Amino acid sequence: MMDIESSDCTVAIGRPLGEEITVHILESSLNCSAGEVVLFSARMMWRTGCRKLTLSLINSRTNTLIVKQRVLLPGNGVILQYNSRTATKKYYQDCDKQLFGPQGEIVNPVQLPHQRQEVVCRTFINVAPRHRIAIRALHVDLGNESNQTHFNYILVRDVNTMKTMVFHGKQEFFWQSTGSQAEIEFHENFKDHRTSFWAKYHAIEPK
């Protein structure tokens, strides 16, 4: 991430669920007194720095990592090397899904027989940096809203702002994020096969 014309540069790294990412900082020429900085962020980690970066190690603890660099002087920046490995701690449920790429489909998870009923299943969506995510729900049927015994709903979270929206019943919707990451939580009675959800997402290119 050196000799880049833009003062702000972002790199997104993604691996399958069950892996974690390790970044080695091989070289850094950031000018700390000028306000130059590099930021590492993941679902379970946030770290920023400038001084004494060379030869340090960053661990994402999950399968995705965002690296943001801000430089003010020409030619400055960092050189990183990353690799992935099986995560040391399990940070996801067996019913969770990870979606990458500019477009795709989102469906409600299917609960396996051995899974606990109270498990919340999630779908993680990551697109390219500076892009946003648009989700259009094409079929939503979360059962009878008057059934208070098993209250089913879907929660959509904008990771950039951490704001959430909740959808119930048969409410089709169109939703947009402010950043390149989104999460969907399925709070459902999965043994009730009458509940179903189908949506499509696509990345919105920056203006």
Side-chain angles (χ1 to χ4, degrees):
M1 299 170 71
M2 289 185 171
D3 296 319
I4 298 172
E5 293 182 1
S6 174
S7 60
D8 294 302
C9 178
T10 303
V11 174
I13 306 170
R15 296 292 298 153
L17 282 172
E19 295 188 11
E20 61 185 14
I21 300 163
T22 300
V23 173
H24 299 255
I25 303 177
L26 303 181
E27 187 176 335
S28 173
S29 58
L30 296 179
N31 188 318
C32 305
S33 59
E36 296 183 337
V37 68
V38 62
L39 165 70
F40 302 89
S41 63
R43 289 198 301 275
M44 299 170 59
M45 185 272 294
W46 177 280
R47 180 172 171 180
T48 183
C50 178
R51 303 183 188 280
K52 299 181 180 180
L53 287 177
T54 303
L55 302 182
S56 59
L57 250 97
I58 307 293
N59 189 288
S60 67
R61 299 169 62 188
T62 63
N63 65 309
T64 60
L65 181 67
I66 303 293
V67 183
K68 295 183 178 180
Q69 175 182 272
R70 178 166 180 79
V71 296
L72 301 174
L73 303 176
N76 285 359
V78 295
I79 298 177
L80 311 174
Q81 182 181 62
Y82 76 89
N83 56 60
S84 64
R85 64 184 182 186
T86 301
T88 54
K89 294 183 179 180
K90 188 175 181 180
Y91 55 83
Y92 67 99
Q93 302 291 345
D94 291 334
C95 57
D96 288 348
K97 300 293 182 184
Q98 173 70 64
L99 301 176
F100 293 115
Q103 60 187 15
E105 291 189 351
I106 308 160
V107 296
N108 57 295
V110 177
Q111 187 182 29
L112 301 176
H114 67 275
Q115 288 179 329
R116 303 191 311 274
Q117 186 63 38
E118 66 271 14
V119 166
V120 174
C121 297
R122 299 164 296 175
T123 295
F124 306 105
I125 304 173
N126 293 66
V127 298
R130 298 181 60 230
H131 289 60
R132 295 182 296 120
I133 301 168
I135 297 175
R136 185 178 297 277
L138 303 173
H139 176 75
V140 183
D141 188 354
L142 303 182
N144 190 347
E145 291 183 87
S146 62
N147 183 356
Q148 298 301 317
T149 305
H150 300 295
F151 193 59
N152 304 330
Y153 63 94
I154 290 174
L155 187 151
V156 182
R157 177 179 296 110
D158 186 340
V159 175
N160 185 51
T161 62
M162 294 308 293
K163 292 184 177 180
T164 59
M165 291 191 67
V166 179
F167 300 94
H168 303 273
K170 300 182 179 181
Q171 179 185 359
E172 296 180 1
F173 61 86
F174 180 76
W175 178 91
Q176 293 187 30
S177 69
T178 61
S180 62
Q181 299 171 278
E183 298 177 5
I184 302 175
E185 291 185 0
F186 294 87
H187 296 256
E188 300 182 77
N189 174 27
F190 292 112
K191 291 181 180 178
D192 183 357
H193 297 291
R194 292 172 296 179
T195 62
S196 59
F197 176 81
W198 176 49
K200 290 187 176 182
Y201 83 88
H202 68 269
I204 303 173
E205 293 187 5
K207 297 180 179 179

